[in-house]
Short mmCIF file of all heavy atoms in Angstrom, two decimals:
data_model
loop_
_atom_site.label_atom_id
_atom_site.label_comp_id
_atom_site.label_asym_id
_atom_site.label_seq_id
_atom_site.Cartn_x
_atom_site.Cartn_y
_atom_site.Cartn_z
N THR M 362 41.32 -38.02 -137.08
CA THR M 362 41.80 -37.27 -136.00
C THR M 362 43.28 -36.86 -136.24
O THR M 362 43.70 -35.76 -135.92
CB THR M 362 41.75 -38.09 -134.68
OG1 THR M 362 40.39 -38.54 -134.58
CG2 THR M 362 42.15 -37.33 -133.45
N ILE M 363 44.14 -37.88 -136.82
CA ILE M 363 45.49 -37.52 -137.12
C ILE M 363 45.59 -36.43 -138.10
O ILE M 363 46.37 -35.56 -137.98
CB ILE M 363 46.32 -38.83 -137.47
CG1 ILE M 363 46.37 -39.75 -136.36
CG2 ILE M 363 47.62 -38.46 -138.09
CD1 ILE M 363 47.03 -41.12 -136.65
N LEU M 364 44.87 -36.53 -139.20
CA LEU M 364 44.75 -35.51 -140.23
C LEU M 364 44.53 -34.17 -139.61
O LEU M 364 45.23 -33.10 -139.79
CB LEU M 364 43.88 -35.80 -141.33
CG LEU M 364 43.79 -34.80 -142.46
CD1 LEU M 364 43.58 -35.48 -143.78
CD2 LEU M 364 42.78 -33.66 -142.35
N LEU M 365 43.45 -33.99 -138.83
CA LEU M 365 43.11 -32.71 -138.15
C LEU M 365 44.23 -32.23 -137.32
O LEU M 365 44.62 -31.03 -137.42
CB LEU M 365 41.85 -32.95 -137.39
CG LEU M 365 40.49 -33.06 -138.25
CD1 LEU M 365 39.31 -33.32 -137.18
CD2 LEU M 365 40.23 -31.85 -139.03
N ASN M 366 44.72 -33.08 -136.40
CA ASN M 366 45.71 -32.61 -135.51
C ASN M 366 47.05 -32.23 -136.20
O ASN M 366 47.65 -31.27 -135.74
CB ASN M 366 45.99 -33.65 -134.44
CG ASN M 366 44.80 -33.87 -133.37
OD1 ASN M 366 43.85 -32.92 -133.44
ND2 ASN M 366 44.67 -34.91 -132.76
N ASN M 367 47.39 -32.88 -137.27
CA ASN M 367 48.60 -32.43 -138.04
C ASN M 367 48.37 -31.01 -138.59
O ASN M 367 49.24 -30.14 -138.51
CB ASN M 367 48.80 -33.42 -139.20
CG ASN M 367 49.51 -34.61 -138.69
OD1 ASN M 367 50.19 -34.69 -137.72
ND2 ASN M 367 49.49 -35.70 -139.51
N ARG M 368 47.20 -30.83 -139.14
CA ARG M 368 46.91 -29.54 -139.70
C ARG M 368 46.84 -28.43 -138.63
O ARG M 368 47.27 -27.42 -138.81
CB ARG M 368 45.65 -29.54 -140.56
CG ARG M 368 45.69 -30.58 -141.71
CD ARG M 368 46.88 -30.27 -142.65
NE ARG M 368 46.63 -29.13 -143.42
CZ ARG M 368 46.18 -29.15 -144.69
NH1 ARG M 368 45.71 -30.33 -145.27
NH2 ARG M 368 45.85 -27.99 -145.33
N PHE M 369 46.11 -28.75 -137.47
CA PHE M 369 46.05 -27.79 -136.42
C PHE M 369 47.33 -27.37 -135.89
O PHE M 369 47.56 -26.16 -135.53
CB PHE M 369 45.21 -28.45 -135.32
CG PHE M 369 43.81 -28.66 -135.53
CD1 PHE M 369 42.98 -29.52 -134.65
CD2 PHE M 369 43.14 -28.25 -136.69
CE1 PHE M 369 41.70 -29.77 -134.98
CE2 PHE M 369 41.83 -28.53 -136.87
CZ PHE M 369 41.06 -29.21 -136.04
N SER M 370 48.29 -28.26 -135.87
CA SER M 370 49.62 -27.88 -135.25
C SER M 370 50.28 -26.88 -136.21
O SER M 370 51.24 -26.21 -135.76
CB SER M 370 50.45 -29.14 -135.16
OG SER M 370 50.84 -29.71 -136.41
N GLN M 371 49.87 -26.70 -137.41
CA GLN M 371 50.42 -25.71 -138.31
C GLN M 371 49.66 -24.33 -138.39
O GLN M 371 49.96 -23.43 -139.12
CB GLN M 371 50.56 -26.26 -139.69
CG GLN M 371 51.58 -27.46 -139.83
CD GLN M 371 51.27 -28.38 -141.06
OE1 GLN M 371 50.65 -27.94 -142.05
NE2 GLN M 371 51.78 -29.49 -140.89
N PHE M 372 48.42 -24.34 -137.78
CA PHE M 372 47.62 -23.21 -137.79
C PHE M 372 48.27 -21.97 -137.04
O PHE M 372 48.78 -22.25 -135.86
CB PHE M 372 46.23 -23.49 -137.14
CG PHE M 372 45.19 -24.08 -138.08
CD1 PHE M 372 45.51 -24.75 -139.14
CD2 PHE M 372 43.82 -23.84 -137.73
CE1 PHE M 372 44.50 -25.19 -140.07
CE2 PHE M 372 42.90 -24.30 -138.65
CZ PHE M 372 43.17 -24.94 -139.75
N SER M 373 48.21 -20.93 -137.58
CA SER M 373 48.58 -19.65 -136.93
C SER M 373 47.41 -19.09 -136.14
O SER M 373 46.14 -19.49 -136.39
CB SER M 373 49.01 -18.65 -137.83
OG SER M 373 48.04 -18.17 -138.69
N LEU M 374 47.63 -18.12 -135.24
CA LEU M 374 46.57 -17.42 -134.53
C LEU M 374 45.54 -16.96 -135.64
O LEU M 374 44.19 -17.02 -135.49
CB LEU M 374 47.09 -16.28 -133.75
CG LEU M 374 46.13 -15.39 -132.92
CD1 LEU M 374 45.16 -16.22 -132.04
CD2 LEU M 374 46.82 -14.36 -132.16
N GLU M 375 46.05 -16.39 -136.68
CA GLU M 375 45.11 -15.79 -137.85
C GLU M 375 44.26 -16.84 -138.45
O GLU M 375 43.11 -16.65 -138.80
CB GLU M 375 45.99 -15.07 -138.79
CG GLU M 375 46.33 -13.59 -138.35
CD GLU M 375 47.26 -13.54 -137.09
OE1 GLU M 375 48.18 -14.51 -137.02
OE2 GLU M 375 47.07 -12.66 -136.29
N ASP M 376 44.93 -18.09 -138.58
CA ASP M 376 44.10 -19.12 -139.21
C ASP M 376 42.94 -19.46 -138.27
O ASP M 376 41.79 -19.68 -138.71
CB ASP M 376 45.04 -20.38 -139.31
CG ASP M 376 46.12 -20.26 -140.48
OD1 ASP M 376 45.70 -19.55 -141.48
OD2 ASP M 376 47.06 -20.90 -140.31
N TRP M 377 43.27 -19.62 -137.03
CA TRP M 377 42.16 -19.99 -136.07
C TRP M 377 41.04 -18.95 -135.98
O TRP M 377 39.84 -19.30 -135.83
CB TRP M 377 42.72 -20.14 -134.67
CG TRP M 377 43.46 -21.45 -134.43
CD1 TRP M 377 44.80 -21.55 -134.14
CD2 TRP M 377 42.82 -22.77 -134.51
NE1 TRP M 377 44.99 -22.97 -134.05
CE2 TRP M 377 43.90 -23.68 -134.27
CE3 TRP M 377 41.56 -23.22 -134.70
CZ2 TRP M 377 43.63 -25.06 -134.30
CZ3 TRP M 377 41.33 -24.60 -134.68
CH2 TRP M 377 42.33 -25.47 -134.55
N LEU M 378 41.44 -17.67 -136.12
CA LEU M 378 40.40 -16.56 -136.07
C LEU M 378 39.72 -16.30 -137.43
O LEU M 378 38.96 -15.36 -137.42
CB LEU M 378 40.93 -15.34 -135.34
CG LEU M 378 41.44 -15.59 -133.90
CD1 LEU M 378 41.89 -14.38 -133.24
CD2 LEU M 378 40.23 -16.19 -133.11
N SER M 379 40.22 -16.99 -138.46
CA SER M 379 39.50 -16.74 -139.77
C SER M 379 38.25 -17.46 -139.92
O SER M 379 37.97 -18.43 -139.22
CB SER M 379 40.56 -17.11 -140.86
OG SER M 379 40.82 -18.45 -140.82
N LYS M 380 37.51 -17.08 -140.85
CA LYS M 380 36.05 -17.71 -140.94
C LYS M 380 36.17 -19.09 -141.40
O LYS M 380 37.10 -19.56 -142.11
CB LYS M 380 35.24 -16.82 -141.89
CG LYS M 380 35.47 -16.94 -143.42
CD LYS M 380 34.49 -16.19 -144.16
CE LYS M 380 34.30 -16.59 -145.51
NZ LYS M 380 33.61 -17.93 -145.72
N HIS M 381 35.09 -19.89 -141.11
CA HIS M 381 35.05 -21.23 -141.56
C HIS M 381 34.20 -21.21 -142.81
O HIS M 381 33.61 -20.17 -143.14
CB HIS M 381 34.48 -22.25 -140.48
CG HIS M 381 33.12 -21.80 -139.95
ND1 HIS M 381 31.94 -21.95 -140.58
CD2 HIS M 381 32.73 -21.28 -138.78
CE1 HIS M 381 30.94 -21.51 -139.89
NE2 HIS M 381 31.46 -21.12 -138.70
N THR M 382 34.15 -22.29 -143.51
CA THR M 382 33.60 -22.24 -144.90
C THR M 382 32.08 -22.06 -144.92
O THR M 382 31.40 -21.88 -145.98
CB THR M 382 33.99 -23.44 -145.78
OG1 THR M 382 33.58 -24.61 -145.17
CG2 THR M 382 35.48 -23.58 -145.85
N ALA M 383 31.42 -22.37 -143.72
CA ALA M 383 29.86 -22.41 -143.77
C ALA M 383 29.34 -20.99 -143.41
O ALA M 383 28.15 -20.88 -143.32
CB ALA M 383 29.42 -23.44 -142.87
N VAL M 384 30.30 -19.97 -143.32
CA VAL M 384 29.74 -18.59 -143.01
C VAL M 384 30.12 -17.69 -144.14
O VAL M 384 31.25 -17.87 -144.63
CB VAL M 384 30.17 -18.18 -141.60
CG1 VAL M 384 31.71 -18.04 -141.62
CG2 VAL M 384 29.54 -16.82 -141.28
N SER M 385 29.28 -16.76 -144.54
CA SER M 385 29.48 -15.92 -145.67
C SER M 385 30.36 -14.75 -145.06
O SER M 385 30.47 -14.53 -143.91
CB SER M 385 28.20 -15.33 -146.12
OG SER M 385 27.63 -14.38 -145.16
N ASP M 386 31.05 -14.08 -145.96
CA ASP M 386 31.90 -12.91 -145.68
C ASP M 386 31.06 -11.90 -144.98
O ASP M 386 31.57 -11.23 -143.96
CB ASP M 386 32.45 -12.29 -147.03
CG ASP M 386 33.58 -13.12 -147.57
OD1 ASP M 386 34.13 -13.92 -146.92
OD2 ASP M 386 33.67 -13.04 -148.82
N GLU M 387 29.84 -11.66 -145.35
CA GLU M 387 29.06 -10.55 -144.69
C GLU M 387 28.60 -10.98 -143.29
O GLU M 387 28.75 -10.19 -142.39
CB GLU M 387 27.67 -10.36 -145.45
CG GLU M 387 27.92 -9.88 -146.86
CD GLU M 387 28.15 -11.05 -147.87
OE1 GLU M 387 27.40 -12.04 -147.78
OE2 GLU M 387 29.14 -10.83 -148.73
N ASP M 388 28.19 -12.29 -143.08
CA ASP M 388 27.78 -12.66 -141.76
C ASP M 388 29.06 -12.74 -140.81
O ASP M 388 28.97 -12.41 -139.75
CB ASP M 388 27.21 -14.07 -141.82
CG ASP M 388 25.83 -13.97 -142.40
OD1 ASP M 388 25.28 -12.86 -142.56
OD2 ASP M 388 25.30 -15.06 -142.78
N PHE M 389 30.20 -13.11 -141.39
CA PHE M 389 31.46 -13.08 -140.64
C PHE M 389 31.90 -11.74 -140.19
O PHE M 389 32.34 -11.51 -139.05
CB PHE M 389 32.64 -13.76 -141.38
CG PHE M 389 33.82 -13.97 -140.59
CD1 PHE M 389 33.80 -14.66 -139.38
CD2 PHE M 389 35.02 -13.40 -140.93
CE1 PHE M 389 34.99 -14.94 -138.68
CE2 PHE M 389 36.25 -13.53 -140.18
CZ PHE M 389 36.18 -14.27 -139.06
N ALA M 390 31.76 -10.70 -141.09
CA ALA M 390 32.00 -9.33 -140.78
C ALA M 390 31.13 -8.83 -139.62
O ALA M 390 31.63 -8.09 -138.67
CB ALA M 390 31.80 -8.43 -141.89
N LYS M 391 29.86 -9.31 -139.50
CA LYS M 391 28.98 -8.98 -138.40
C LYS M 391 29.26 -9.70 -137.20
O LYS M 391 29.13 -9.13 -136.06
CB LYS M 391 27.48 -9.28 -138.82
CG LYS M 391 26.84 -8.27 -139.72
CD LYS M 391 25.37 -8.67 -140.07
CE LYS M 391 25.14 -8.72 -141.45
NZ LYS M 391 24.06 -9.61 -141.96
N ASP M 392 29.77 -10.89 -137.20
CA ASP M 392 30.12 -11.65 -136.08
C ASP M 392 31.37 -12.45 -136.20
O ASP M 392 31.40 -13.59 -136.65
CB ASP M 392 28.86 -12.63 -135.74
CG ASP M 392 29.11 -13.47 -134.48
OD1 ASP M 392 30.07 -13.19 -133.78
OD2 ASP M 392 28.22 -14.33 -134.23
#
Side-chain angles (χ1 to χ4, degrees):
Chain M
T362 309
I363 289 172
L364 180 143
L365 287 175
N366 289 346
N367 278 343
R368 302 299 291 265
F369 292 168
S370 68
Q371 294 158 22
F372 270 28
S373 67
L374 178 58
E375 280 61 38
D376 289 332
W377 281 117
L378 296 183
S379 65
K380 81 177 195 69
H381 57 74
T382 61
V384 63
S385 69
D386 288 335
E387 297 83 46
D388 287 346
F389 185 62
K391 277 181 235 157
D392 183 3

